[in-house]
Amino acid sequence: MLSAVLLGLISATIPGPQGGAAGFRADLEALTSCAAAGRLPGSAGDRLVIEHLVRRMRELELGPLPGLEDGHLQRFAARDPRPRRYDPERTSLRLHLPNGCDDAAVGTEAWPFPGSANGAVTAPVVFAGYGLVVDALGHDDYRCLDVRGKVVLVLRGAPGGRGSRYAEHRSELLFATKMRRALEHGAAGFLLCERWDRQRSSGELDDARHARGRAELPAMWVTRRLARRLMGEEKPGEQPLTTGASVRLRVRMGPEWPDRATANVLGLIRGSDPDLRDEVVVVGAHHDGLGLGAYGSLGGAGAVGRVHPGADDNASGVAGLLELAARLAAAPPSRSVLIAAFGAEEMGAQGSRWLLRDAPFPLRRMVAMVNLDMIGRGRSGVWVEAAGSSPDWRPLLRRAEGYGRPALRVQVRDSSSRRSDHVSFLDREIPAVLFHTGLHAQYHRPTDVPSLVQVEEAVAVVGLAAHVVRTLAEQPARPEFRRER
């Protein structure tokens, strides 16, 4: 078997079928064309881009996968993330406090969860701490509480915050799980607020507007200030207690937005080693964008209705994905490599989650995942996140430095934000890293145009990532998964 160094030299010198930077630029222009119109999932532009990706994968002679339409298309229905509308005339929150009554300002102090049930309840408020039941840790916030027929108020997250012993029980921290726990204990309504120690001066309700999951009881997010009024304490603790306050909670939600039909586009580079080819390294990038900015735009009201080209986010990553595929397909490594262009990442990484839920082969065959998301501003360097998901990542990255030309400043982080498609793999205990070149003033705005993409540096990021992927696909041992601390 060739050494990792020699394999790296091979991958660094094999050009893409259209000539490296030229091929990258051609794909970038196709993904950001006027016809693509920002690549909103389910739109005509989205369908056009999907057709382009299928055509490119065939040009690169990437293999089809069993069970997929035309061998490359994994179609799915993406849930539209825009919040359900609520009827302001029939949605309210009135506080009954020891010193009188007060109406909360819905939309400013309180916001109905999109998954809230319709209904009305007037009942005492019980503070249930974090609303957690984690048997493995001996933690039960409902142990000494009677919440039957009452409105439960809980804090977001868990004691100690991110990185605490509760991190291994992430599913219990989800909004939907906390609502379900309250319902299991007989609650009639549900209120959730930010942690007392969380410093957020604005946007406190943003997460409520995009919360996942359906509740079987009326549910609202409330600000910390309102929660403190219910608690009757300026500096409340975290221990469950009966508050002495009650509320009249009314919610009337409108219908769900219809799902949006889109697809993952997949291609396989078949491994060259009969003993290792059944194991797969996944390389991914999301092909969708914000369309005309109806959701997710950071450009303000004036940006809605204008095309958000998404050149860096994430046409750069998809163009890089195709360039990386060309390099690997020219000399297939020992393990197989799955090239995955994900749909609906901007709607909550739905494409990558769908791939893992309906994978064309068993998940146990997935060795690792490399994600390319926003690689178009490389003059400031490249960041590699989530390297703490395996002790193998840092040695791999050290060996790969220098394979990108021009030379890149590489910064490695063990942790990662909970955004982008690599997180779907981490949640399935598959080692994964994210390559990106950072945020900028054009992010999620109509000004993210192809002329600002730094093509030579983006291709250098591809060279670095290609060497990492090839080494992963050649080394005898699989990388060990390590949960983030």
Side-chain angles (χ1 to χ4, degrees):
M1 183 180 290
L2 292 172
S3 71
V5 172
L6 181 56
L7 287 165
L9 290 171
I10 292 173
S11 67
T13 56
I14 294 173
Q18 299 183 39
F24 180 98
R25 188 175 284 107
D27 284 316
L28 181 73
E29 290 175 355
L31 293 163
T32 56
S33 68
C34 293
R39 309 185 303 279
L40 180 70
S43 68
D46 184 50
R47 292 189 290 274
L48 184 71
V49 163
I50 288 170
E51 291 173 4
H52 172 79
L53 292 172
V54 171
R55 183 167 60 253
R56 289 287 288 118
M57 288 194 180
R58 288 174 177 165
E59 289 173 358
L60 295 171
E61 299 184 350
L62 304 187
L65 288 112
L68 300 190
E69 182 180 325
D70 295 329
H72 293 286
L73 287 175
Q74 186 185 46
R75 296 194 184 275
F76 65 96
R79 179 180 176 185
D80 193 308
R82 287 176 292 179
R84 293 167 67 200
R85 296 188 179 97
Y86 66 91
D87 183 345
E89 299 298 322
R90 293 192 287 175
T91 300
S92 61
L93 181 63
R94 167 160 282 201
L95 283 56
H96 298 271
L97 306 172
N99 58 351
C101 298
D102 190 13
D103 288 321
V106 176
T108 302
E109 295 181 298
W111 198 281
F113 273 83
S116 173
N118 292 324
V121 57
T122 301
V125 175
V126 175
F127 176 60
Y130 288 93
L132 294 174
V133 179
V134 187
D135 293 335
L137 301 178
H139 185 127
D140 184 353
D141 281 323
Y142 291 94
R143 182 177 294 121
C144 299
L145 290 180
D146 179 8
V147 302
R148 288 172 294 180
K150 299 180 176 66
V151 174
V152 170
L153 168 66
V154 305
L155 297 174
R156 180 183 181 179
R162 187 177 180 181
S164 72
R165 63 192 183 120
Y166 295 87
E168 295 185 7
H169 304 275
R170 186 173 288 132
S171 63
E172 291 293 333
L173 277 58
L174 299 176
F175 297 152
T177 304
K178 294 193 176 194
M179 285 189 278
R180 188 179 72 249
R181 292 297 190 191
L183 183 66
E184 290 171 351
H185 287 82
F190 182 82
L191 302 175
L192 186 141
C193 78
E194 192 61 83
R195 289 163 49 98
W196 305 130
D197 60 353
R198 184 74 176 270
Q199 300 301 314
R200 293 174 70 180
S201 58
S202 62
E204 202 166 40
L205 301 172
D206 289 349
D207 291 317
R209 302 174 189 178
H210 300 283
R212 295 285 188 266
R214 298 301 303 271
E216 296 182 43
L217 68 173
M220 281 191 177
W221 180 288
V222 298
T223 63
R224 286 172 294 171
R225 180 173 296 181
L226 188 147
R228 289 182 180 122
R229 285 160 58 195
L230 287 171
M231 298 278 289
E233 301 178 46
E234 186 59 32
K235 294 184 178 180
E238 298 179 351
Q239 295 304 310
L241 55 84
T242 300
T243 66
S246 62
V247 296
R248 182 170 187 264
L249 172 64
R250 293 194 310 156
V251 178
R252 170 59 65 176
M253 301 299 298
E256 298 274 5
W257 292 93
D259 290 341
R260 308 189 68 89
T262 186
N264 295 326
V265 187
L266 310 176
L268 188 69
I269 300 172
R270 182 72 165 158
S272 60
D273 188 329
D275 295 328
L276 292 177
R277 65 169 53 132
D278 285 340
E279 296 183 348
V280 181
V281 178
V282 181
V283 189
H286 74 88
H287 64 72
D288 64 306
L290 301 185
L292 302 183
Y295 69 92
S297 175
L298 297 178
V304 176
R306 297 170 57 194
V307 172
H308 288 56
D312 188 27
D313 186 18
N314 184 38
S316 69
V318 177
L321 179 72
L322 295 171
E323 170 64 16
L324 187 149
R327 296 183 183 208
L328 294 180
S334 298
R335 288 187 175 88
S336 297
V337 178
L338 177 67
I339 302 299
F342 298 117
E345 186 274 344
E346 299 288 4
M347 293 182 167
Q350 294 189 54
S352 52
R353 288 191 284 115
W354 187 267
L355 170 67
L356 292 165
R357 186 164 55 241
D358 192 28
F361 44 77
L363 296 189
R364 66 177 181 275
R365 290 170 52 188
M366 291 188 184
V367 169
M369 190 268 182
V370 171
N371 186 24
L372 304 178
D373 194 347
M374 298 178 65
I375 63 168
R377 304 297 176 89
R379 289 174 194 163
S380 60
V382 59
W383 283 259
V384 184
E385 296 192 359
S389 64
S390 173
D392 297 272
W393 285 123
R394 283 185 177 271
L396 277 171
L397 290 162
R398 281 195 296 269
R399 289 156 62 188
E401 283 193 58
Y403 282 96
R405 294 288 186 271
L408 298 165
R409 181 169 59 94
V410 181
Q411 298 188 55
V412 182
R413 298 171 179 167
D414 286 342
S415 62
S416 171
S417 71
R418 294 293 299 169
R419 297 179 179 180
S420 201
D421 292 302
H422 64 291
V423 176
S424 302
F425 291 80
L426 295 176
D427 287 344
R428 294 296 190 104
E429 299 192 348
I430 298 169
V433 287
L434 165 67
F435 283 76
H436 72 94
T437 54
L439 297 178
H440 44 73
Q442 295 80 40
Y443 172 66
H444 278 199
R445 291 173 172 86
T447 49
D448 184 10
V449 295
S451 61
L452 296 179
V453 171
Q454 297 157 0
V455 173
E456 297 295 335
E457 287 78 10
V459 174
V461 174
V462 173
L464 174 68
H467 180 70
V468 169
V469 173
R470 184 174 289 279
T471 306
L472 272 172
E474 292 287 356
Q475 65 185 17
R478 298 172 59 133
E480 172 193 350
F481 176 78
R482 177 180 291 168
R483 188 174 295 277
E484 184 181 333
R485 299 298 179 186

